[in-house]
Amino acid sequence: MSLDAIDAVNWSAIPNPTWHRCDDPERVAHALRLLTVSTTANETGDATALLAGSGFVCGHAAMVFPAAYAATPILLDLVEHGQRPRIKDAALGLLSNALAYFPTAGHNRVDTPYGTDVPLCCAIARYIRDRRSALLAHGTYGKQLLAEADLHWRLTIEEAERQADGSLTAMALLEGAPFQTPVEAELHTPPFEQPVQSVRIDALTADASGGACIELGQTPSEVAPGSTLYPAECGRREH
């Protein structure tokens, strides 16, 4: 299944930086194929090292590249359906690195089916959260990866109301872990073609289902339903 998923990606269209051949997204596809079919510890280690030193991440520089977004669901497939424990563990380690490392300047955002210019780490984290059951079943390392992903939260506005003091109260859906306020956030407004706006979340209450109530300061005149909020610090992450 992972091989088909790899072949379905247009790797050559991914805007990785082009400093040298090692950053070619096609190398990521090649390494993913090697990891998927690896049968020995040496083969798995070689494929993992190739991903850790190519256009997925660059381990010695602690950099992550845009191709990591396309590779993430493939690595999650390996965690869930991989034939050998060492392959699952390798995939988990690579995903953890993708969340922890910083993108290069000018390559810190990706376009997704749910919005454009999404911070790379947040887009990767959302893929990870979608596999919560599979990761929980993997044990301690799966739980750790989920905890890392939950720090890259996402809020979707369902309805909003301006208050007399100028603040804005909104009902929203929270993906990820509740966070301390006040905190800076970036506001993405549908149809997601206009520039990202900076806002401040002054208060947050959330229940176990993800239902949330937030208070926004420094907001534009209107916040449309379907707008999304991401941590401002994620949007600023870059080397």
Side-chain angles (χ1 to χ4, degrees), residues 2 32 35-36 73-82 87-88 91:
S2 292
L32 287 170
L35 181 61
T36 299
I74 296 164
L75 289 171
L76 287 166
D77 281 347
L78 291 176
V79 173
E80 188 170 1
H81 305 293
I87 295 177
K88 296 173 182 280

Side-chain angles (χ1 to χ4, degrees), residues 94-172:
L94 288 163
L95 289 167
S96 181
N97 288 341
L99 278 181
Y101 294 169
F102 278 35
T104 61
H107 293 85
N108 65 333
R109 295 177 181 272
V110 292
D111 292 342
T112 73
Y114 48 84
T116 59
D117 289 332
V118 176
L120 176 59
C121 55
C122 294
I124 291 172
R126 197 169 194 224
Y127 269 142
I128 291 169
R129 286 195 297 269
D130 286 344
R131 303 292 186 95
R132 183 171 298 273
S133 296
L135 290 168
L136 289 174
H138 195 74
T140 300
Y141 293 122
K143 292 176 183 177
Q144 288 176 350
L145 182 62
L146 279 170
E148 294 165 9
D150 281 344
L151 298 176
H152 303 264
W153 47 263
R154 180 179 190 264
L155 281 161
T156 304
I157 303 296
E158 296 179 334
E159 57 180 289
E161 181 178 352
R162 181 71 59 183
Q163 305 300 311
D165 62 0
S167 66
L168 188 143
T169 300
M171 303 303 296

Side-chain angles (χ1 to χ4, degrees), residues 10-61:
N10 183 4
W11 297 97
S12 63
I14 295 174
N16 265 20
T18 56
W19 301 327
H20 49 73
R21 189 172 60 87
C22 290
D23 297 321
D24 184 357
E26 294 287 354
R27 286 173 58 90
V28 179
H30 174 64
L32 287 170
R33 292 186 187 98
L34 293 178
L35 181 61
T36 299
V37 301
S38 64
T39 58
T40 68
N42 284 340
E43 288 175 350
T44 301
D46 288 346
T48 303
L50 187 57
L51 283 164
S54 64
F56 177 77
V57 295
C58 180
H60 71 270

